[in-house]
Amino acid sequence: MNRVTFTIDGKEVKAIRGQTILKAADAAGVFIPRLCAYRDLTPNGSCRVCSVRVNGRIQAACVQTVAEGAIVENETPELLEYRRNIVDMLFVEGNHFCMFCEKSGFCELQALAYRFGIKAPRYPFLYPKRDLDMSHPHVFLDHNRCILCGRCVRASQDMDGKNVFQFVERGGRKRLQVNGDSLSETDLKATDEAVSVCPVGALMKKRVGYEVPVGRRRYDEKPIGDDIEMKGEK
Amino acid sequence: MKQGTAQVTAEICKKFGNDRTRLMDIAIAVQDRFGCVSHEAMEEIARQVRSHRVEVESLVSFYAFLSVKPQGKVVIRLCSDIVDWMKGYKDVAEAMARELGITMGETTPDGAITLTHTPCIGMSDQAPAALVNSVVVTHLTPERGRQLVRDLRRHLDPQQLVTMVGDGNNEHPLVRAMVRNNIRMRGPVHFADFEPGSALRKAVEMTPADVIRTIKDSRLRGRGGAGFPAGLKWEMAANAPGEKRYVLCNADEGEPGTFKDRVLLTECADQLMEGMTIAGYAVGSDTGIIYLRGEYRYLLPYLQSVVEGRRRQGYLGRDILGRKGLHFDIRIQLGAGAYICGEETALISSCEGLRGDPKNRPPFPPQEGYLGCPTIVNNVETLCCVSRILLEGSDWFASMGSSRTTGTKVLSISGDCRKPGVYEVPFGITARELIEMTEAENAGTMLIGGPCRQMIGPDRLEGRICYDDLATGGAIIIFNRARNRLEIAEHYLDFFIEESCGYCTPCRVGLTLLKNQVHKVIDGAGEPADLVEMRDLSNFIINTSRCGLGQAAPNPVLGALEIGDLSSGFVAERKPGLLPGFDLSKAVIDAELRVGRQSKYV
Ligand SMILES: Cc1cc2nc3c(=O)[nH]c(=O)nc-3n(C[C@H](O)[C@H](O)[C@H](O)COP(=O)(O)O)c2cc1C
Ligand code: SF4
Ligand code: SF4
Ligand code: FES
């Protein structure tokens, strides 16, 4: 009895007991958008982009585990609108200038916006004043582009065995903080997993931006989630 | 001095066993000693408890009563709740700021006094009120505010501000607060006599399973707001696998306009702790924690003395009532200014020495709670009910109230009424009866259960206080007809924005966007589409937020939309070709200032 069966938008999906809905959907070739969840990092359920309805209740697919016979709704007009709202909110909460950003074309936030058909956010920009930390010789941290997903926090702890990042303050003032007065004072290395997991252009290696020409970047040709959906078509 | 900080900090850590999970106590003690938790102190704490500075900062920066930057020797926190505004907050704040020669949020140049504001401190029945360090001052006026500042300047001793003490245990030598209980209606559950030990004796004569049965039969539902059946929660915790179990009492009472737990903690501490001990016996736990909100710190020495008294009497500690192997003890965990810590999983996080971020559910606390062990979290009033149920029986309890909500409810009523205070009433009472009892004239709007529940208008006064109709954790706030509902909603949005933990996007960002939208309409720049947008945004936030804070924060906005005609907030005239809410002259002001001339075209 270690397997359960449930449905996503009517499609029958088999999963392992204890698996999250997101992981089960991935394995079944159904794409549920996500931002804070990343591969094997412990999910934290913070961005809410993966919101689905489970037996009528909205839940975050990345932290909610599968249940026998559950009816999961993924691509309903309501949920598509909600996810769009969240992506919009993340854009207006920070300062994102995609046309100049080294992450353009590889950025998961931008890629989701394209997938959702967002041309401009529906909310007014909040234009916060945020800092840029260039102190580290090989890595920079631009808070303007940070979406507070916490991937770097968890990767530093769980994969690098360090504790370089944490969140400080609360509410709208919540921000990422490093373990020291600046990034150069921490034990962060450019090769740390924490640096490579950032979904946006907030935490990046220096001197490697714009290497791939426009048109050949990761999400120029295929939309985000395409790799997962390919599995489903087989 | 530098040497001093590290040394003293290390000693404080040692006092708490260099235990990472006691980070709240450590940070509060350091804050008390130095007026801040500096980088240097955080560095030392991290070293002692084997953590990292940034982790300590993560906690310190989360709580309003802790600060990285130095604060004055005395911190005046004026309560900026809406009820305080209605009773003259603004004038008091201005008078005190002028007397101090600083603005809100600043510290006097000599580093003596900081003036700031804080959300509801649980004194809405004696507003405007303030915390001066942990001393409560009530019924402020501009003149009393000025006098208070002058006195403080002289002695810098908040306790000396208390010249008249309140009633009941507020007079107790360990409390000595000017707070008044304002108990206006005494009911049989909480305000009848209680003989310490009497309920516990009855409990230990039964099996733990029978105690749970009794609570189930009484159909007692949680008094903290959600109304979850207490007996069912206990049963889940009792049956969950685990070596150790915990009983947590939620004394965070942060919902604006709620102050009934303040009175229960002051007058029924024995009854409460006995309820916790009975819960411990029933679920198989030997440890209880009372999470006391930082605002009620003035009650801490007294509550601690009650704990000690009960240990001496054999009602707490080892071999309770002389029964071999029956252990239960209580520690009091102080909070530090964070409304979200009233949410049960955030409360657990805080007790574990973490930021007050709620946890992902499932697992639910009765399965995996404090330190990963099965845990029950119950409100102060719920646990007080437990003792009475053991004494009087479940039938007695269930015979009171309405058909599906048994027993009585302690309400804290404030706002535009002549008799604000605490009322223990049977469930099923109507909103209209409350208005009559409190002698509220011209009531136009009521908030039942504070801002996180429902706003009702004059047409809903026949509604009944119970979980199936007008549910409440205890706050009832009355507004007269002259008050603007949208402004009320905006005030509470500011509160929720300040108190959001910031973990999830819909609450962290959405509430600010919603507030801007609401403000636009209040400002007279709204258009009908704004009302649609307000409703959509509210529903989105309610549906997608991670915890009960975000899921409830837009309720006052929805209430205002539902009850009232908001068309007065619409722009009267629209310039052709422009968005109705767009004000061209406002938009170019910045540019005009820079170039130093006025635009001809506006
Ligand atoms: C944002 C938020 C704040 C809360 N604040 C309190 C509180 O101050 N006191 C309280 O007893 N319950 C509060 N609750 C409810 C608790 O999560 C929990 O339901 C309650 O403590 C359970 O105890 P009960 O079943 O005895 O009511 C709050 C919930 C939320 C979502
Ligand atoms: S820096 Fe990147 S990975 Fe870290 S929280 Fe910000 S967006 Fe997420
Ligand atoms: S709803 Fe608000 S308070 Fe609750 S987890 Fe999300 S951000 Fe934090
Ligand atoms: S991916 Fe699930 S909440 Fe972010």
Side-chain angles (χ1 to χ4, degrees), chain A residues 143-158:
Chain A
H143 292 277
N144 289 292
R145 299 177 244 176
C146 174
I147 57 169
L148 306 174
C149 71
R151 283 190 192 178
C152 59
V153 176
R154 288 168 283 151
S156 183
Q157 285 179 329
D158 301 347

Side-chain angles (χ1 to χ4, degrees), chain A residues 35 141-143 145-154 165 167 176 194-195 197-203:
Chain A
L35 275 171
L141 172 58
D142 185 353
H143 292 277
R145 299 177 244 176
C146 174
I147 57 169
L148 306 174
C149 71
R151 283 190 192 178
C152 59
V153 176
R154 288 168 283 151
F165 304 99
F167 292 118
L176 190 67
V195 180
V197 296
C198 183
V200 291
L203 187 60

Side-chain angles (χ1 to χ4, degrees), chain B residues 31-32 51 70 143 166 218 225 282 288 326 350 370 404 443 449 459 487 523:
Chain B
Q31 175 83 34
D32 283 350
S51 175
E143 186 40 44
S218 75
L326 181 56
S350 191
Y370 179 64
R404 291 182 54 197
D459 60 321
E487 280 174 13
D523 232 16

Side-chain angles (χ1 to χ4, degrees), chain A residues 43-48 51 58 63-64 78 82 85-86 89-90 93 122-124 126 147-148 157 163 166-174 177-181, chain B residues 52-55 57-58 61-62 64 337-338 355 360-362 497-506 508-510 512-513 516 533 537 539-540 543-546:
Chain A
N44 63 3
S46 66
C47 74
R48 313 311 275 184
S51 293
I58 294 193
V63 287
Q64 196 66 29
E78 176 207 38
Y82 284 176
N85 290 355
I86 291 170
M89 285 185 184
L90 291 171
E93 186 192 23
R122 59 187 289 192
Y123 306 114
L126 296 174
I147 57 169
L148 306 174
Q157 285 179 329
N163 207 322
Q166 280 294 335
F167 292 118
V168 294
E169 309 266 354
R170 69 183 187 205
R173 289 192 305 273
K174 177 175 171 171
Q177 176 71 296
V178 300
N179 189 34
D181 291 340
Chain B
H52 300 262
R53 182 179 106 181
V54 73
E55 265 186 343
E57 185 173 354
S58 178
S61 61
F62 188 89
R355 291 164 67 81
N360 286 318
R361 281 170 299 188
I497 289 169
E498 186 58 36
E499 296 298 326
S500 157
C501 82
Y503 196 101
C504 71
T505 317
R508 186 183 69 235
V509 191
T512 299
L513 298 173
N516 293 347
E533 179 63 25
L537 198 50
N539 285 327
F540 159 75
N543 275 324
T544 55
S545 286
R546 179 167 173 262

Side-chain angles (χ1 to χ4, degrees), chain B residues 459-526:
Chain B
D459 60 321
R460 294 267 333 256
L461 295 186
E462 301 316 321
R464 291 179 184 280
I465 303 292
C466 63
Y467 291 106
D468 307 317
D469 190 359
L470 301 174
T472 172
I476 309 279
I477 310 160
I478 304 172
F479 301 92
N480 67 32
R481 280 170 202 267
R483 313 260 181 212
N484 178 328
R485 293 194 189 99
L486 212 50
E487 280 174 13
I488 297 172
E490 187 188 25
H491 195 103
Y492 287 122
L493 273 179
D494 284 333
F495 164 78
F496 286 121
I497 289 169
E498 186 58 36
E499 296 298 326
S500 157
C501 82
Y503 196 101
C504 71
T505 317
C507 172
R508 186 183 69 235
V509 191
L511 290 179
T512 299
L513 298 173
L514 181 60
K515 184 224 145 85
N516 293 347
Q517 194 83 46
V518 169
H519 192 78
K520 187 177 160 196
V521 175
I522 291 175
D523 232 16

